[in-house]
Each structure stands twice: as C-alpha cells, then as structure tokens.
Amino acid sequence: MPKSLFVEHLEQQENQEIEDLFVVAQVERRTTREGNPFLVARLKDRSGEIEAIAFDQVDHLEPRLERGQVVRIRGRVERFNQALRIKVLDAHPVPPQEIHLADFLPTTQRDVNQLLQKVRELLNTLRNPYLRKLFQVMLADEALVERLRLAPAATSYHHNYLGGLLEHTQNILRMADTLARVYPHLDRDLLLAGAFLHDIGKVEEYELTPAGIEITDRGRLLGHILLGVELLNRYAAQVPGFPGELLMRLQHMILSHHGELEWGSPVRPALVEAQVLHFLDNMDARIWMFAEAARHPRAPGSRWSEWWKPLGRMVFIPPPLNEETEDLFG
Amino acid sequence: MPKSLFVEHLEQQENQEIEDLFVVAQVERRTTREGNPFLVARLKDRSGEIEAIAFDQVDHLEPRLERGQVVRIRGRVERFNQALRIKVLDAHPVPPQEIHLADFLPTTQRDVNQLLQKVRELLNTLRNPYLRKLFQVMLADEALVERLRLAPAATSYHHNYLGGLLEHTQNILRMADTLARVYPHLDRDLLLAGAFLHDIGKVEEYELTPAGIEITDRGRLLGHILLGVELLNRYAAQVPGFPGELLMRLQHMILSHHGELEWGSPVRPALVEAQVLHFLDNMDARIWMFAEAARHPRAPGSRWSEWWKPLGRMVFIPPPLNEETEDLFG
Amino acid sequence: MPKSLFVEHLEQQENQEIEDLFVVAQVERRTTREGNPFLVARLKDRSGEIEAIAFDQVDHLEPRLERGQVVRIRGRVERFNQALRIKVLDAHPVPPQEIHLADFLPTTQRDVNQLLQKVRELLNTLRNPYLRKLFQVMLADEALVERLRLAPAATSYHHNYLGGLLEHTQNILRMADTLARVYPHLDRDLLLAGAFLHDIGKVEEYELTPAGIEITDRGRLLGHILLGVELLNRYAAQVPGFPGELLMRLQHMILSHHGELEWGSPVRPALVEAQVLHFLDNMDARIWMFAEAARHPRAPGSRWSEWWKPLGRMVFIPPPLNEETEDLFG
Amino acid sequence: MPKSLFVEHLEQQENQEIEDLFVVAQVERRTTREGNPFLVARLKDRSGEIEAIAFDQVDHLEPRLERGQVVRIRGRVERFNQALRIKVLDAHPVPPQEIHLADFLPTTQRDVNQLLQKVRELLNTLRNPYLRKLFQVMLADEALVERLRLAPAATSYHHNYLGGLLEHTQNILRMADTLARVYPHLDRDLLLAGAFLHDIGKVEEYELTPAGIEITDRGRLLGHILLGVELLNRYAAQVPGFPGELLMRLQHMILSHHGELEWGSPVRPALVEAQVLHFLDNMDARIWMFAEAARHPRAPGSRWSEWWKPLGRMVFIPPPLNEETEDLFG
Amino acid sequence: MPKSLFVEHLEQQENQEIEDLFVVAQVERRTTREGNPFLVARLKDRSGEIEAIAFDQVDHLEPRLERGQVVRIRGRVERFNQALRIKVLDAHPVPPQEIHLADFLPTTQRDVNQLLQKVRELLNTLRNPYLRKLFQVMLADEALVERLRLAPAATSYHHNYLGGLLEHTQNILRMADTLARVYPHLDRDLLLAGAFLHDIGKVEEYELTPAGIEITDRGRLLGHILLGVELLNRYAAQVPGFPGELLMRLQHMILSHHGELEWGSPVRPALVEAQVLHFLDNMDARIWMFAEAARHPRAPGSRWSEWWKPLGRMVFIPPPLNEETEDLFG
Amino acid sequence: MPKSLFVEHLEQQENQEIEDLFVVAQVERRTTREGNPFLVARLKDRSGEIEAIAFDQVDHLEPRLERGQVVRIRGRVERFNQALRIKVLDAHPVPPQEIHLADFLPTTQRDVNQLLQKVRELLNTLRNPYLRKLFQVMLADEALVERLRLAPAATSYHHNYLGGLLEHTQNILRMADTLARVYPHLDRDLLLAGAFLHDIGKVEEYELTPAGIEITDRGRLLGHILLGVELLNRYAAQVPGFPGELLMRLQHMILSHHGELEWGSPVRPALVEAQVLHFLDNMDARIWMFAEAARHPRAPGSRWSEWWKPLGRMVFIPPPLNEETEDLFG
C-alpha cells in the first residue's frame, strides 16, 4: 500500500490523528525527570523528517521502532516548542515487499518509462550485430532493468535520486547521437554503447533502503568502474562469438570515462569516442549542478546562489531579458 | 596569379626548369672553397619546404631573396646528395596584392563559404532582437568577415590553418544548437551568441603572412579573451539601445570560456551557458587533436600513434571491426 | 548628521535613553506566549552590533525597520540575560543623502587626504606627457576621486575597509618609487602608472551600503581586472593622441598584475615592470595580513596568533628584544 | 641452439668470419654512387647493437632480413670509419621455437628458480585454505609460471628485463613477511597474497619478442591493474567455494596498490594491508632506481650520478667509510 | 603521589566524596542570579574531563585553581542536568616534582623500557666504531633518555602520546633491520643510525605539561628537522675524531627524511638509505592512522570508519574471515 | 700574472703566435689515419672556448693538459674548417696561487668594493648591539669576506657569476632599507640582518675552480639553508652573550626565506620580516631573469625574447616610447 500522507503535509494535520508509513531514522530511549521511560524518534519519508515521541507502551513499541525499519505509525500530530511532532499511539513494522522505495527516497521528476523507451530506441539504431545482441540481452534481463530504473547517479553530486542514473544516461545518449552527426568520423556505435555502459556499475555501487542510499562494500572497495567492467563481461559472455577486440574497446570506454587518472580512471582515453564520452558525462553532471545551485539563491530574490560547494563558486541566476528587449524593432 | 606548382609536386619536375611563387623562409650568403660567393635559401609554400641555391648573379639576387619575401622563382630542379633542390636562375619579388595567402599557409579542407553560411543560418535562428541586430552588424562588416574566413584557431594546438577558426566556431554552434534541445532550460540565444563570440578576439591575435602565422604584440600582451571583449564592445556600441545587462552576459561568456583560472579565464563560468560553452570549446579542440594524432602512427601500420604531446599520450588507431562481426546472424 | 554614539559605547548608557542612527542588519516579527506580536532586530554600525526589541507600536515600526535601512532610533538601553539590548521607542528612516558611510562601515585609520596627496605627488613626478595628462584627467574627475577615497581593497583578505584601496595603492606607489632607484633600468613611468592603475577596477567591483560591502554583478561576472581595463580605456580616450603602444602596455600592467593564470590574470607578466608590480601588490597584501593576524593572539599574551586562514599558518608575535640586549656594551 | 657469440664480444673477432643469431632491429635498401643496391641493417642481441652491410646477393638476402626477424648470420667482422660492422655473407631466418628470448633481451642477474622457490615457500606459509588452494592452482599452471619467469616489471622505470617481475615480487613478499612480525595486527595472509598478486596483470601487459619488450593493446587500453583483477577472477573461479568476501579483498589489494588515484589506482587503499603493499611496491622500485642511478656516475670517479630522470635528481655515490674509521679504538 | 582515581572512574563515585589530583583546563568566575560569585572549572586527567563547581570559599579557591595548574581536589561527585560534576570542597596546588605527567597525558600502551631495550640492542649491532661511540654517548645522557621516554611523535597525526616517539623509532629500527637483509647492498649502519636519529629533534619540539602537549617556539620557528641536526652536532662533537664525512651523511638522513620538499625536507634523499628511511617513517605513521581510524566505526558495528581526516578517506574494518573458510578441506 | 689575451680576442690573432693562460675543459688522445697520436682539447677562459690541437710532442704535452688544469699555452692561432683553433706548441701547468679566478669565470660587472662598502654601510645602521657585534665579527673575518666577494648567487638561475651573491645581497639590503620606511612597524634590524644572512650558506655551497662553478657535496646533501644556519651559529658563538631569542629569529629568517615548503624552506615565514625577505629575494632574482631574457631576442630586432625557460615565457622587449610622445604639449 503506497503512502498517501507525507511529512510535508503534516502541517495541515495538526491535532489530527493520522496513520501512514514512515521509516525510522533515529530512535532513543530516555527517561523523564520522574523516572519514566519514553522513546524519541526521527521519522522520515521522501519529503522530509519529523520528530516522534512515545510515552505509553514503551516496551511494546521499542522493538518495533528499530532504526532503518519502515513502520506503519498511528499517532497524533501535535505542536511542541513551536515544532510539529507525532505522538505515537501504535506502530507496526511493514514487510519489505509492501514498501515502495519511491515513497521514502527522492525520485526523478522525469517519466522513467519514457527515459527507458528513449534509451531503447537509441540503442536500437546501432549497426554492429554484436552490440545489438548485447543490449538485447541486457535489456531483457528484468532484474537489471529494474535496478536501472531505480539507481541514482550519485549519492550527492548530481542526479542523486531514484532514476537519476537513467536520466543521466539518457541525456548522454541523446548528446552522443547528435555529436555523431556533427563529427561523422566518430564511431557512432562505440560512442553510444559507451554512453549506455559507462556508469552501469552504479547499479551495484549503491544499496537502496527506505532509510537512504548507501554505498555498498563492493562500491567502496572496487568502485563503479570495475563493477561496470565485470558486469559488461558477464553479459558479453552471453553473446556467442562476441569479438574480443570489441569487448576490449567497450572495457576501455568504461575504464577511461573519468578522463584523467586523478579523477579515478586507471587509464586515460585513447580513443576519441572515449574522450568525447568523458566530456558528455562531465557536462551533464555540471549542467545538473548549475540548475541545482540556481534553486538555492543566497537570499530571497537574490541574483546569486549560495556558495555552491560541488562547483566551488556562486552561480548567477539571471532574470529574463524579455522586457527590456521587446521594443527594439517595436 | 595563383600558384600552380607546389613543393610537394617538385619530385616530378626533376631536371626540369620551373617558374612559380615561393616564400623565402631562410637565406644565407656563403663562400665556396674557391672563394666565390653563393646563396643558400629555404623556399616554402603551403605544401612544404625545399632548398634553393644560387651560384650566379649573387649580388643581383641577394636583395630579392629577403627573408619573408614572396618571390617568383625561375629555376631548375636538381638532385644533390639525394635531396631535391632548386638551382635559382632568376627571382622577382611579388607585390602583396598579388599574393594568395592560401598558397603559402595550410588551409582548412572544409568549404569556407559553406561554413560561413551555416554560421549565418544558426545565428539567424536567435530570437533576441538585440543579438540579431548585433550579428547583422558584425556579419555586414566585410573586413571582419574576411578576417574570420582566414583566421586560424591556434598556431599549433588545433585547427592551426587558414579557416580553422571558422571551422571550430561552426562545430561549436552546431553542437550548441542540439544541446539546447536536450536541455530546454538553457538560454539558447545566449549559448549560441557565446559560441560565435568566444574566440572572436583571435582575428586580432594572429598576423598572417606568407611566411607563417605569428602572434601579434597585442595577442601576446593582452590575449584573445580581452581582444574579444573589446571587439564585442565596439560592435555592440553600434546597436542602439543594446542592453547593458545583455552585454555583460556576453562579456562573461567570452571571459569565462576557458573554464578555469589556470587555463586563462580571469573569471570562472557563473552561468550554465558559459559552462557548457567551455565544454564544447574544449571538446572540439580535443576531437581535432585525436584525429591529428591518428594521422601519425608510430610506425607504418601501427595501431598506436606517436607520443602526442598536446594530448600527453599515444592514441589508439583502431582498425574497423566489420570483418569479424559480419557472421553473427549470417 | 553624523553619528555620535556607537554600539561600542552603549555599555556606558545602560538604563539611559539614547537616540542615534543605526542600520538594520536583521529583523523578525515574532509572537509572545500571550499571542502579542513584537519585533526583534539586529542594529549595526561600524563599531559592532546590538539586539533591539520593540513590544509597542509594532505595526507602526515594522515598515520603518526594513533590513538594510538606516534608521534614527530612539530607545532605552537595557540588560537582558546578561546581554545589552535596545528597547525601541521610536524609529525614523534616514534619507541616503544624510548618511555618512564611514559611520557604518569600518574605515582606514590613515588620513585619506594625505594618502591622496601622496599619490598625486608621486604621479606628478612622471615624465611621459601622455601619462601626466591621463592622470590629470582621472584625478580631475570628482566622481572617480570620491569612489577612490571610499573603495576598499577587498571584502575580506586585506585592507577590507573604506579607504583601503587608497592605502594599498599609496603603499605600492611608494615602493615602486624606491625600487626605480635600486634598479635604474626599470621604466619608472610605466611602473608607477601601473601601480596606480592596477586595482582601479575595484571602484566598480564593490557596492558600498551602510549594511556592508557587496560585490556587484559586474564585479562577479567580469572581475576587477576587466573593469580596470575598461575604465582605463575610457579615460585614455579623453587624452588626444594617447599612443596605442602606451595604452597596450598599461593594459598589460593591469591584466597581468595577479602574476599567474591561476591567480586570475589572463596573461602572465611579459614586462619586468609588470612582474615587479605583481610582487609589490602581493607583498603589501601579505604585510597587512601578518599585522592583522598579530592582532589576534591565540590566547591572551600568547606569542602566537590564531590559525590565520588567509595565510594558512599561525604568526609569531615577537616581544621586543630591548631589555635583554641593552647591556652588551653597557 | 643458443647463441655463443654476443655483440659485446665482436671486438675480439675483427677480421674473422663468424656465424651466430641476431635480431634485425632496422634494415634499409640503398644504392651506391655507382647505382648498385646494398643493404644496411642494425643487428641486435641482449648485449648491444652492431651495423651490418650486404653488397652481394641483395635480392636473395633482403626478404630474409626483415625487421624483427631473428636470423642466423654468417659474415665477416670488419672495421669501417673506426666502427665495427658485419659484412653479411649469408643469412637464414630462425624459427621461433629455436629462439631463446634471453639471448636477445636483458635478463635478471638473479637465479629465477631460486626466486620462484622463495615465492612458493612464502605462499606456502599462508593459513587461509582458499588462498592456499588459489596459489596451488596458479602455480600449477605451467603457462602462467612460464610467463611469470619471463615477465619484466616495467619497460623502463625499474626491473625492466626478463625475470624482473619475479625479482620485484619476491622482494615485496619477503618484506611483507617481516613486516607482519613487526606489526602483528596486520592480516598476514592478505598482505602476502596481495604482494604476490599486485602486478600479476603484467604477464599480459607486455609482449616479449627478440626485438624488444612491447606493451600489448590490452596493456595500453586496460592497464595491468584491470588485467590483474581479471586474471585473479579466472583462477579464483577454479577454487570451489572461494569466498566472495575474500575475493573482494584481493581485488581491492590489486586495484589500490598504486596508492593514489593520480598514480592510476581507481580506488585508494581502504585496508591497512593495501596501504602497506603500496609502500613496499613503491619502495622496491625506488631502491632499484637508486642502484641503477649509482651505476651511472656523471663523470668517471664522480661521487654523483648523472641527472636521473625517473628520480628527478642526482644520486650520491658514497665511497666506503672504512679506512677513516678503523682507528677509533685501535 | 600518583593518582588513583581517574575521571573515567567517577561515574562509580556518584554522591561520594573524593580526593585526587587534576589539572585545571579552564576556569571562570561567574555570578549567580542572586549576585553571589561562584567558580566553574573544567578538570582534566589522561582519561577525560569533568566540570567542577565551587560556591563556597570562592576567594580562597580562585587563586588555587589557575588554568594549567595541577591541584589536589577534595570534593563531592554529584549529578546535575544529567551530567556528572564535582562540587569542590577544597583545593591545593601540587608542586611540579610531585606530578607524574603520565597521570595527565595519554601514554603509550607499550612498555617503554622494553622499547628502549630493543632500541639499544639494535644500535648495539652497528659496526662503525664512531656510530657506536655516538650512540653510547647519547644513551648515556640521562636527560636525553628521559626526554626520549616521554616525547610524543606528533601532537595529533600519529603516536600522539607520551612514549610515542620511542614506539615509532623502535618500529622503524626493526623494519630497517630486516630490510638490510632483503637488500644486502644497503649500508645497514647508516640506515639504522638514521632510523634512530631522524625524529630526535622532537625531544625539543614539544613541551609536555599536565595541561597538554604544546609546540615550543623553537619547534614552530625552526622545526624538528633543524633541531635534530643541531642536537646531532652537539653529540657528535663529544666523539673525538668523528669523521666529517659520516656526520654529513647523518645530517643528510635527518634533513631529507620527509622525502620531498613540499613535505618539509629542505633537500630530497640523495642516498638510497635516506630514501628508504623516508618510506619506513611514512609507512609506520600510516599504519598507526589506519589502526586509529578502525577504532572509530562510523556507526556501532559498521564495517567502515568515520571519514578519517588525516587519511582523507574512510577505512574498511573487515570482520575476520575464519568461519566461512574453515570447511574447505573439512 | 693575469691574462691579457682572451678567447674572444683570438679572432684578431689569426696566424699569429700567442702565449697566455687557459683552462683545459676537455682533452682526448686520438690517432691520425696514418697511425700517429695527436691531442684534441677544448681550452676555456671567462670569454669563451676554443679548440686546441697538438700533433708534436704528444707524450710530453699529454700529462700537462689534464682536464681542469690551468696551463700557459704557447701556440699558433689558425683556421681549420672555418673555425679558429690553437695549434699548441708548448704548455706549462700554472700553480694555483698564480691563477686569478676572474680570468676564467664570468664576473659581475658591478664594482665589488662598492657593493661591499654599501653592505657595510647599511649594516652599520643597525641598532641592536648584538647584531652590530655579529656583523663586525663576520666582516672582520678576511676568509669569509673573500669568499663573499667571489661567491655566485646560483649556478644558473640568476647572478650566476663571481660576485653575484654580493650583488644580490646588496640589492636586497637596499630594498629592505626603503621598505622599513614605507612600513615603519617592521623590525628594521631583523629585516636587514636577515637580508645579509639569508644566502650566506652559499659561500660553502659552491666550489670555484677555473674550470667552472661546482656544487660541493655539502651543498648538495645539506643545502645552503642549513649551511647558512650553521655558519650563523659559528659566528654568533663568538659574540659573548648573544641572546638565544635573537639567534632563533635570525635562524628562522634563513630557514624560511624560500617562502614555501615546496621551494625548499623547512618552515614557512612566521614573522612578517621573514615574509618580506622572501619577496625581496624572489623579486631580485626575477628582475635579473627578465633582464637576461631581454638580452636574448628570438630574432635580431625582435620585440620578443626567446622562450625563457627559468621564467616559462617569452619576455617583451619594448622599444622606447620617446619619439611618439614628444609632441603632446609641443
């Protein structure tokens, strides 16, 4: 059962009783001055966080409010010290299969099916039969496709939400498609294949739980570049006769896409398609960051953003020029 | 009168008498063992260099063979010590107005008129009336257009030949055009205007002579970024009511297009369009370098280029994959 | 009417009624537990900040206490929770022409007239007639001189107060003057002219308001280097026959004075005078930073300053050596 | 048949006829002044290079003296222009199976069997049964062991000769062994396993031919780090039940052993054993470089080496101190 | 009299009267709402910090509770606002000679005597008579040995506790000892002598007080590298006939042991022994940091440490592999 | 006996017999085609190099023409293959005491006595009695003063000739003197003392021989910064009661004068006087480099220098502006 009531809506429920799913972000057992135990928790969903408190049935509730657990909370919204909180009346853990991750984690605002459709279309224009077969195999793997629908592109820097990887991948594929027209000497097949594969390791780099996006041990110890190469190897092994030379070039596309050693690629691009892929990857991430920064003006109405750390600068938020330019030939 | 015979064709003229224009790259007066004076020169055109020698009429020829001068040479092609050389019979300096720079300097292989046409078309799609007016004024200035047709994009790194700047500019404009579709929130007008203007200062950075491309004093002391801003200012001053805010944004596009301070931009991009312009500029230059490197295999038939200094690496020169992939669904 | 009573003096006014000008740094409307509205504000002048509170006439006062506004406050100084605050009795906005910026912003402790006089004297020793004329024109422009009197040299790093730019400029001019004696081969005219002009763009980089020093949009998007070149161009255009070669060298002095690309100069110094100017600029800033650091011992009486971020180190604060050295030949 | 006569010995064969194997490093067909064809070649073995010349039977010899080919040369050693050369009388290509690489490429001066024996001994001290099994499988693979005997550790920086990889690996294993005693909290198994595996990809990074050591396409495009991980994966797959956790840690040891991203590791060491491995790897290479530099004094008898580029410095070559210290307690 | 009761044990003393030594970390005189003076202090020992409060005899106690002073406190442990504090009943300053630094500062968990013994043993294996004599002199200097027992190796980065320098030195000596076996061409005497001397200047870099470890003025202004060289010079001067050449090499070992200029060595290692010493020094520090990081998991039971600033990364805290590997050959 | 005839004058001595001193830069014994031995040498003095040849008395001359030896050569100047050479008729080694280094090594064009006099004068203005005494002692040490007269400031970067150190030191002292007036809060005594001492270690860093300037072992292994501190220590020890605090500050001035760790200072300036000294040192060196670069135009008459490696750029060589500016007020 999906959520209907989100933290951001609770303001309107003051003094009402509510019941819905939340994930327990933190929980602590404390004692009142009178010596009675009570529970203080932080409950979370994709829209925000709220404090929860339970004075009654503490021993009953405590094992149900474990950190990281999704629980159905019945409670009363009340205001305390100017802040809203939920007074917990009852709580029931929710089994994993009933949880919709997108209720708890921020999600792309794009339509994931459309993104996926566009990716399929572009991969369908490839001419090399082995590449065509490779992507048929990959996109026929339901588990992979499902992970691709969900994976974020990063935990913080850019596209850091469910579906972010797909959004990022689709952008790069579309740019790659048009670049191949501006520069006809590029190997279009290789460029688009690389665009699809470059971050594929991220489906194994992140672990998605209602409580947040975590990096897996393999993600930290091996990195998504190696994970991507290994994943490519596994699928290529399912295509009979997949040429070793082609596999090597695809591996190189993944390995070198960070562009420079100091950005985590163990080899630098030796193919122009690999170099181009690196630029497209970097450019899409930067465009995202500028847009994100522009959503954070340093003061209401300011033409400048906050100091934006991922960019190391403030970003200009230009007002439209329309008015002043209208009358030139008027 | 344009040249008809180029250095690269002289192999076929061995032991023939020829007459055509060359530029004097070097010249020296020497003395034979017998004490007779003679002249040794290096003659050049866009296709290469050849040695020339004059044993007779030395005092007559010497003032006509000044370094940097274009001369009509009558002479005989002969072989000496396994190398071809021209034995000069007579020489006449050629007045500047009769010289076609493209005979002496390497030139783009693209059709300059088509490039210019494409640039005009794309600028014609802009919607802001002041920008439209600005580019009308600029492209109506014959002197500027002529310099734009000739200017290289650099002396060595990329597009280092006549017409190179236009080729580079057109590539970036076309990419900017398609990017504005992938990212509809970008200010297309600003991006394309910046794409056209970013390197415009290069028309004043280089001095083109038959003997080679030189950087002007202003080019070295002020740099093409400042020259570009000053040039923009002069043209914008010819558009009545050109908005100061718009001018400021265009100036920022030029100033920041190197992307980082250490690459010579006095300010970093604060607009997403400026950031994107930087990537497109950089990417087009890199694509050119990869192609150039691939034209220099480290050994005949090698799959690897020479160590390519502008890229700091060797580049892979991949053979086509066709043969081995034909039979998959055969 | 200038201020007579500054925040730093209010300690002595406890329980007194006062009336003077302050700028509103922050303001918020809140509600008491009983549901009555009240205003809490932060008032500021050049000497510090203090809290202000208004319980009565809230609707009357609120529009008068806008953020950034200078207001004449009548109120009573009282102590609450160990801290001083002003209980506002009445408030009147002050029109801009009655405001003395120096009452609200920190100001150089040097005599600005003397600094300016010294600058004039040194520029008067130049020999090149075009330079002499240029500086006559500039120093005859009252608006420019007024901005020069007020401009800071930076918002935080050094000389970050009214008059700071003039103090910095004067120091560099004096050093340049003596260096020209130690190194007679330097072009003294060029060096001193560059010393005066190098930061002149800062008069347009900062916006001075009672509430603080802000960087203008042009400052952020174009930088004071470009602003300085454009300003120089405007004044040079007022000197008939100003030689292009001389203008180019002056432009180079401004453009290159940060010394290296990564410090924001689009070109590196190509003239020894430009190189020297960079050192003098840098040295004066560093000397200021050391003095500032030394005013912040890490503990009372300590021989070491706090960790001083602009210098990336702690600074030694040496006690005088006099006593222990007196007796050597005693 | 192994070589008996090396280039370095030919000085003693002046004016003698000789017959032995050489590899053709270069070859060119030229024409004498009289118009007769002749061949000039450079012949090489592990000890040096010599010029060879053939005036007779040119058409017969030319196809036999292909670049890169090992040939049995019959010829006469003669001196021409102060330099020794071989006048070729006859030449026969040698089939690959008769070629001993060590005749043509420089080789470690250590006993490869002893090195290998020491490596086996140390790996035999591991306690984890899966690691023991893994190394049994690897060292039972004759092809791998043979490549391990031959592989160099680099093409130029250090241990750049046949057997160099084994020498380097053995050094690191021995150091790892003793470090595990000084720091008992280290996971000795993991450290030694990593020491053995860290450069194992180099057996696929280099191609050994009589004409020299080349980097393979896979070496350049994928790098020995990825090749090593893939090789490990293949062998681990042969050990039933090899724990995924253990495999992940071994992969991390290989991936991170360059220590920092900018040195080509896609991830930095996250395990202390990986960090230690990086130091040992780096230290062994540096010790080799110092020894090599010390073999190249800048002048005969000098206490300083040439400027040694891999170290970026000159190295001190200290004479022994024995004599001057003998008499202290004498 | 050594302490018996440490801050970490006071939890068990709630509502008890205690008496023991503490150092005053902070102290402030305040006034109650009723206008009565009281003292609030922070008391410290090697195990932690606790608040102390004194309401009575304030004028009597204040001069006895000076910052940095060690005092015998008689007081009552009580709980206030959930935190433990000491209500001070009486206080007596303790004379320096009665203070054991190790009661107040964190101390190595290794046995300092054993460490020192191992150092002596290893130095005793040197063969050069002048080095033997040098270390006899040094280790016979009681004051030096005492400082060596106490000195930390750093204030924060590694081994930042009493005895840390000795622990660090001993580790490096032991590694040097084994390395000399793996690389017999190393000058073992020089390497071990350098290992002992490299950080010896730290005995003058730090000032140890019960309140904490401070860096001396000489430490900050001259650095432990110079202090070490000067200290070496003083002891070498006590060995008659100490060879200048040997002294120079030892000085070089100290000067270059940071390995690179940017890490504070004024010269880079020019002797392989100096280069090796640098690696051992760096490696021992890093091993310490990994162990320290691993003691700080980011969450209870996490396999990853906190972000560890001295390492610039999170560290993997691997659980043992034992269980899963037991059954391979079972 | 000083030299009268220098290599640069030999052009005028063609076919004459000459006799003068030269240093042997290189020498080789060869054999003519006829099998007769002969000697080929390179002879040098401060003005240049010339080839010398000896066909007769080879066995007599060979031991007299040792590399590095100064010899009185009697010979005949002749031209061979367009180059001048000396045919050696006789040669006599010259004892060291008869050699004037300035005949063989390039020398400052400034008057060393005047430089020294200026240095004495400035040091004489110091007020601290211990510093006055210190410099009295130093300047009374004839050996030190003599080395100071001769020492270069570097082997290549700047002031790389006899007397260069004194020239450099005097420049810095003079600048320090004037800076103390611009910034009266600087400790003038400390700044000038540091200016004199900062490079004093260079008198032990270089070994001056007729054959060239060499860096000593101590120079390479310890560096002039440590050598300077040790030299200061030795002289300060001769001033009774020299305050330790003052000595420490002087040591800091020497140690930190390279300004940053990566430029070879083991500590960064912690005193403003040390920071200023660093700038003056750096600035004087740069001014020298610009002047040197300007002496090397890239082509005759060019306004730009060669690419100047120590500066990493080309330097502008501006023609004077006089002519074009004369007529402004004419």
Side-chain angles (χ1 to χ4, degrees), chain F residues 65-76:
Chain F
L65 289 171
E66 265 187 15
R67 191 164 177 264
Q69 176 67 52
V70 173
V71 282
R72 173 173 309 281
I73 296 284
R74 193 166 56 79
R76 188 174 184 82

Side-chain angles (χ1 to χ4, degrees), chain D residues 55-66:
Chain D
F55 291 110
D56 303 326
Q57 293 185 285
V58 168
D59 292 332
H60 165 74
L61 289 173
E62 194 174 17
R64 302 181 161 208
L65 289 170
E66 267 188 14

Side-chain angles (χ1 to χ4, degrees), chain C residues 1 36 38 68 99 106 143 148 201 211 225 246 255 298 320:
Chain C
M1 194 193 82
N36 299 322
F38 66 102
I99 298 168
L148 202 53
I225 280 190
L246 178 57
L255 285 171
R298 63 204 294 243

Side-chain angles (χ1 to χ4, degrees), chain F residues 222-256:
Chain F
L222 310 182
H224 71 265
I225 280 188
L226 185 88
L227 295 177
V229 170
E230 295 203 337
L231 200 145
L232 164 63
N233 292 350
R234 289 200 298 276
Y235 285 100
Q238 300 174 34
V239 178
F242 198 90
E245 172 80 24
L246 178 58
L247 181 59
M248 178 178 73
R249 293 184 196 176
L250 293 176
Q251 290 171 328
H252 177 70
M253 294 295 281
I254 298 176
L255 285 172
S256 69

Side-chain angles (χ1 to χ4, degrees), chain C residues 26-126:
Chain C
Q26 278 184 315
V27 65
E28 210 180 330
R29 185 187 181 112
R30 296 192 193 151
T31 313
T32 62
R33 300 201 175 185
E34 298 76 24
N36 299 322
F38 66 102
L39 298 173
V40 185
R42 302 287 303 169
L43 302 180
K44 230 172 55 169
D45 61 27
R46 69 161 189 238
S47 75
E49 257 188 67
I50 190 168
E51 194 175 273
I53 195 135
F55 292 111
D56 304 325
Q57 293 184 285
V58 168
D59 292 331
H60 164 75
L61 288 174
E62 193 173 18
R64 303 182 161 209
L65 288 171
E66 268 187 13
R67 193 166 175 263
Q69 176 67 52
V70 174
V71 283
R72 173 173 309 281
I73 296 283
R74 193 166 57 79
R76 187 174 183 81
V77 180
E78 58 179 37
R79 189 170 297 276
F80 180 75
N81 272 345
Q82 283 158 328
L84 229 50
R85 72 179 185 188
I86 298 176
K87 188 170 172 185
V88 177
L89 302 175
D90 207 353
H92 294 85
V94 179
Q97 65 274 18
E98 292 183 16
I99 298 168
H100 294 254
L101 271 176
D103 286 342
F104 299 96
L105 295 174
T107 303
T108 178
Q109 297 179 357
R110 310 282 292 274
D111 179 324
V112 171
N113 287 329
Q114 279 183 14
L115 292 172
L116 200 56
Q117 181 53 28
K118 186 72 192 170
V119 166
R120 285 182 198 274
E121 272 172 30
L122 283 165
L123 291 181
N124 213 26
T125 64
L126 300 196

Side-chain angles (χ1 to χ4, degrees), chain A residues 129-130 175 178 183 243 245 249 268-270 275 279 283-284 286 303 312-313 316 318-319 321 324-325 328-329, chain B residues 128-130 175 183 243 245 249 268-270 275 284 286 303 312-313 316 318-319 321 324-325 327-329:
Chain A
Y130 293 103
M175 285 193 283
T178 60
Y183 302 99
E245 173 80 24
R249 293 184 196 174
R268 301 171 74 207
Q275 180 66 70
F279 278 115
M283 185 158 58
D284 184 57
R286 283 283 179 102
R303 288 156 69 100
R313 74 192 83 173
F316 189 51
L321 289 166
E324 48 179 320
T325 63
L328 177 63
F329 306 118
Chain B
N128 181 298
Y130 293 102
M175 285 193 283
Y183 301 99
E245 173 79 23
R249 293 185 196 172
R268 301 172 74 207
Q275 180 67 70
D284 183 59
R286 283 283 178 102
R303 287 157 70 100
R313 74 193 81 171
F316 190 49
L321 289 166
E324 51 179 318
T325 62
D327 52 344
L328 177 63
F329 305 119

